[in-house]
Amino acid sequence: MDKLNHPAILVVDMLNDFVTGALGCDRARAIVPATAKLLEAARSKGVPVIYCNDAHLPGIDRELQIWGDHAIAGTPGAEVIPELAPQKQDFVVPKRRYSGFFQTDLDILLKELGVKTVVMTGLHAHMCVRHTSADAYCLGYDVVVAKEAVNSFTEEDYQGGLAYLKTCYGAPALSNEELIAAF
Ligand code: ZN
């Protein structure tokens, strides 16, 4: 396939609370090795890696009413899991809603980096990955899904999430091998 047009990797909510903590699940843990491999390849090829991290305010953020307390800003649960810890050249964008773009610096950062294509990784395919992809699409970015580095609580939500992203935003679901060849 063709090279991706000015890609960056977005790593959504690969935080302790989403992988091993309050909202943790086996399917989240399952994508850690493939995600680590993809991030390493991206960095080696100069592709920016940007973390979009839940950082909720306790007692205030409305998502906590739906999901219970998780990823409270300043707590260990809100930190990226050790296996995927941000490196010095990476970027970290805190968020308080599902989308990594909503009231954050993500759009201006991507523009300053010259990014045209966002490669989606992280959790969950049908929620934060979906909302972030929606805003990326609306803001004019091409969206690509790293299918080995994205997951959901269930297989049904994962498959449904990928199908929705393909249908609504034209986002292909690519393997690590395809992505790394296209960096
Ligand atoms: Zn949240």
Side-chain angles (χ1 to χ4, degrees), residues 32-160:
V32 173
T35 306
K37 203 168 160 187
L38 188 64
L39 299 190
E40 198 176 307
R43 292 182 187 111
S44 76
K45 298 199 177 191
V47 173
V49 174
I50 303 168
Y51 292 80
C52 302
N53 293 347
D54 253 6
H56 288 304
L57 300 187
I60 293 179
D61 285 5
R62 60 188 328 199
E63 284 170 16
L64 303 177
Q65 295 163 17
I66 297 175
W67 298 99
D69 276 1
H70 64 275
I72 302 297
T75 69
E79 287 171 14
V80 174
I81 60 169
E83 299 92 323
L84 302 178
Q87 309 292 300
K88 66 177 186 310
Q89 70 270 40
D90 299 341
F91 301 90
V92 176
V93 177
K95 65 186 181 73
R96 292 175 49 204
R97 293 292 187 269
Y98 296 113
S99 171
F101 287 94
F102 189 79
Q103 308 266 327
T104 74
D105 288 341
L106 183 56
D107 185 43
I108 189 174
L109 173 63
L110 291 171
K111 286 193 165 71
E112 286 169 340
L113 293 170
V115 172
K116 305 289 185 197
T117 304
V118 292
V119 179
M120 302 304 304
T121 73
L123 303 164
H124 286 259
H126 64 304
M127 286 191 284
C128 289
V129 170
R130 170 170 160 172
H131 282 258
T132 303
S133 297
D135 285 338
Y137 172 83
C138 292
L139 289 163
Y141 299 98
D142 289 334
V143 181
V144 168
V145 182
K147 66 181 177 187
E148 297 168 49
V150 161
N151 223 336
S152 296
F153 291 119
T154 68
E155 178 69 17
E156 194 181 8
D157 285 338
Y158 169 72
Q159 295 296 347

